[in-house]
Amino acid sequence: MIVLPLSFHCLNNMINPISFVKNTRISYSKSLERNINEVQVQFNDEPHTWIPYDTLIAIDRMITNGKK
């Protein structure tokens, strides 16, 4: 089960990260030799892409400077 961060904070505006997530999946990484939780995201008009869930969390923490 993937739990998404509550919100992104950008310039004092709350942005719901769920609006960027189109889908979720679990895939196996041969190089890491473990399962990876991935989310399919689209931020603007670019084609959507799969990124690791940990990356989505890191983006949230970077934007909010670790504050919740």
Side-chain angles (χ1 to χ4, degrees):
M1 180 174 156
I2 296 176
V3 178
L4 296 173
L6 294 177
S7 64
F8 286 103
H9 297 277
C10 184
L11 301 175
N12 296 326
N13 292 325
M14 289 178 41
I15 300 170
N16 184 353
I18 295 174
S19 65
F20 299 119
V21 175
K22 304 296 181 191
N23 206 350
T24 62
R25 70 180 179 191
I26 297 174
S27 62
Y28 182 77
S29 170
K30 287 183 180 180
S31 61
L32 297 175
E33 298 180 349
R34 65 182 179 100
N35 288 331
I36 304 294
N37 291 324
E38 296 179 318
V39 291
Q40 187 180 37
V41 295
Q42 182 179 21
F43 295 101
N44 287 318
D45 293 333
E46 80 280 1
H48 37 279
T49 189
W50 291 96
I51 63 170
Y53 170 70
D54 294 338
T55 301
L56 181 65
I57 298 300
I59 291 169
D60 179 51
R61 288 186 182 145
M62 185 182 72
I63 292 172
T64 62
N65 293 320
K67 299 174 186 171
K68 291 288 175 187

